[in-house]
């Protein structure tokens, strides 16, 4: 695959200044994330044409309502109409301290809400962090402020049993233990975030967060988690909605992989625990009787061809998913990644 190139990222971020966290249709704004993913895949020339088309659906962010207090910030979590306030708050945090320090402090606070906006908060932060690791610019620091703000305003915790001890299972062992809401009891709530709220009335889900052993090597555990959820995607993504749902189980973990090298041991382990819980929440609400694909045919793939196909499709989820799968395959090869991209390309309509 072509070497990454960030030459057009700052131009894209400048073009997106003042955009809201959502689209006019109510879905999440993926533009900064896609721009970074295209740069990471070595396609900087594709960034501005893609952003120009996408901007047609982007409304401006709402005006600021009032400052976020250094002591009262918890009361402002989950208030979607305060994006501008949170963006200014994090902008000031980043003016007063280094971005890795701000990242560690605030991702540590936000990790319990890993599932916020179907994990778009942590995904956007992961893309922003990787761009800063490639080279810190004013535009990229501002994007980190906006990314953290998007996580804060959509903050959502999943139910978890109290006083959970560290588990003993591997992700592959534990995934078979995840309880699933019976299809007859599921409600069509219109989006992933609302559907996750069904877990509040599903007490069987609470212990899930404590099943896996997170006191292991970060890299090995992240590789196992990502590969398992790629297999969950293959077994359970069968239409537009479920494809989008289970894409997030992989892209959120890939984003966490960009965050972990920049934060403390404690924050990283919390991230792995809540990422596991979040992926399991998606499966509990949308999964079927087969938790993950087992025997996957190994086929040769041309990585540049996959990128070309993702660009031709044009969907934001497809582009980000392709990049995440290629990245994770490079770090821990598995036929699940290429097969998952093929599956998504076959199901997701072109934009």
């Amino acid at each position: 695959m072509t070497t990454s190139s960030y030459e057009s990222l700052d131009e894209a971020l400048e073009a997106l200044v003042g955009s809201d966290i959502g689209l006019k249709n109510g879905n999440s704004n993926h533009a900064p994330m896609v721009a970074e993913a295209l740069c990471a895949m070595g396609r900087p020339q594709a960034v501005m044409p893609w952003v120009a088309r996408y901007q047609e659906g982007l409304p401006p962010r709402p005006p600021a309502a009032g400052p976020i207090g250094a002591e009262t910030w918890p009361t402002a979590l989950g208030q979607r109409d305060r994006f501008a306030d949170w963006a200014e708050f994090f902008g000031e945090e980043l003016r007063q301290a280094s971005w890795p320090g701000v990242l560690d402090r605030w991702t540590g606070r936000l990790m319990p809400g890993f599932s916020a906006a179907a994990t778009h908060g942590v995904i956007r932060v992961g893309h922003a962090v990787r761009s800063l690791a490639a080279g810190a610019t004013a535009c990229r620091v501002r994007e980190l402020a906006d990314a953290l703000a998007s996580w804060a305003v959509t903050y959502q915790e999943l139910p978890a049993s109290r006083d959970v001890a560290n588990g003993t299972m591997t992700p592959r062992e534990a995934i078979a233990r995840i309880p699933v809401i019976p299809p007859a009891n599921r409600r069509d709530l219109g989006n992933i975030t609302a559907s996750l709220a069904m877990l509040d009335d599903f007490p069987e889900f609470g212990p899930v967060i404590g099943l896996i052993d997170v006191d292991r090597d970060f890299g090995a555990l992240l590789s196992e988690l990502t590969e398992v959820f790629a297999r969950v995607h293959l077994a359970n993504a069968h239409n537009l909605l479920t494809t989008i749902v289970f894409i997030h189980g992989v892209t959120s973990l890939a984003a966490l992989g960009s965050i972990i090298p920049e934060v403390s041991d404690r924050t990283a382990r919390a991230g792995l625990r809540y990422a596991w819980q979040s992926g399991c929440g998606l499966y509990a609400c949308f999964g079927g009787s087969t938790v993950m694909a087992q025997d996957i045919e190994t086929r040769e793939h041309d990585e540049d061809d996959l990128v070309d196909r993702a660009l031709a499709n044009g969907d934001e989820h497809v582009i980000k998913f392709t990049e995440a799968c290629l990245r994770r395959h490079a770090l821990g090869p598995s036929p699940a990644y290429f097969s998952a991209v093929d599956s998504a390309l076959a199901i997701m309509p072109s934009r």
Side-chain angles (χ1 to χ4, degrees), residues 92-107:
E92 183 60 27
E93 289 277 295
L94 288 161
R95 285 188 284 273
Q96 298 296 327
S98 67
W99 70 261
V102 173
L103 178 75
D104 184 46
R105 180 166 65 253
W106 280 98
T107 54

Side-chain angles (χ1 to χ4, degrees), residues 19-304:
S19 298
D20 198 9
I21 59 168
L23 301 176
K24 293 175 182 176
N25 64 10
N27 294 332
S28 294
N29 173 8
H30 292 72
M33 299 178 271
V34 171
E36 195 279 336
L38 288 171
C39 289
M41 291 190 291
R43 301 301 174 89
Q45 71 280 3
V47 170
M48 290 310 298
W50 190 93
V51 167
R53 293 192 300 272
Y54 197 77
Q55 279 183 297
E56 297 176 4
L58 281 174
R61 71 182 59 181
I68 302 290
E71 303 298 328
T72 60
W73 61 265
T75 63
L77 289 174
Q79 296 185 16
R80 195 178 180 93
D81 60 347
R82 301 198 66 184
F83 179 46
D85 299 331
W86 274 107
E88 177 53 36
F89 175 84
F90 284 122
E92 183 60 27
E93 289 277 295
L94 288 161
R95 285 188 284 273
Q96 298 296 327
S98 67
W99 70 261
V102 173
L103 178 75
D104 184 46
R105 180 166 65 253
W106 280 98
T107 54
R109 292 171 173 174
L110 296 171
M111 282 302 181
F114 194 97
S115 65
T119 71
H120 283 117
V122 69
I123 294 171
R124 185 167 177 178
V125 169
H127 283 283
V129 167
R130 185 169 57 174
S131 74
L132 281 165
T137 67
C139 294
R140 298 177 198 181
V141 172
R142 183 181 62 227
E143 169 54 20
L144 178 59
D146 284 359
L148 288 166
S150 73
W151 193 348
V153 300
T154 57
Y155 186 87
Q156 178 186 19
E157 293 185 19
L158 300 183
S161 299
R162 293 186 177 183
D163 302 320
V164 175
N166 188 52
T168 59
M169 291 188 238
T170 67
R172 185 178 280 269
E173 292 169 336
I175 196 70
R177 301 277 298 275
I178 306 308
V180 176
I181 298 175
N185 296 346
R186 297 177 188 177
R187 304 185 299 276
D188 183 5
L189 299 174
N191 63 61
I192 300 170
T193 299
S195 294
L196 287 172
M198 291 189 293
L199 295 172
D200 293 336
D201 301 317
F202 189 54
E204 296 93 329
F205 185 76
V208 163
I209 191 170
L211 292 180
I212 65 168
D213 177 9
V214 297
D215 287 341
R216 299 171 51 207
D217 175 75
F218 293 148
L221 179 54
L222 184 63
S223 289
E224 289 178 33
L225 283 168
T226 315
E227 204 262 353
V228 162
F229 282 107
R231 289 176 179 272
V232 171
H233 176 279
L234 281 168
N236 293 277
H238 54 80
N239 58 22
L240 179 61
L241 174 61
T242 51
T243 298
I244 293 174
V245 166
F246 293 109
I247 277 175
H248 293 101
V250 176
T251 53
S252 59
L253 283 160
L256 183 61
S258 295
I259 295 170
I260 281 178
E262 311 295 340
V263 297
S264 65
D265 181 280
R266 180 179 179 180
T267 300
R269 295 197 190 283
L272 289 163
R273 187 184 296 280
Y274 286 111
W276 157 256
Q277 181 202 35
S278 178
C280 292
L282 296 173
Y283 176 66
C285 291
F286 294 95
S289 58
T290 302
V291 62
M292 67 177 189
Q294 297 291 344
D295 298 322
I296 302 172
E297 179 185 358
T298 300
R299 292 181 292 169
E300 293 295 324
H301 282 78
D302 182 289
E303 294 189 9
D304 283 319

Side-chain angles (χ1 to χ4, degrees), residues 309-330:
R309 290 167 61 196
L311 272 170
N313 177 280
D315 180 84
E316 56 266 50
H317 298 94
V318 168
I319 292 171
K320 288 163 54 228
F321 189 49
T322 300
E323 187 278 319
C325 285
L326 291 177
R327 184 193 339 174
R328 294 312 308 176
H329 178 79

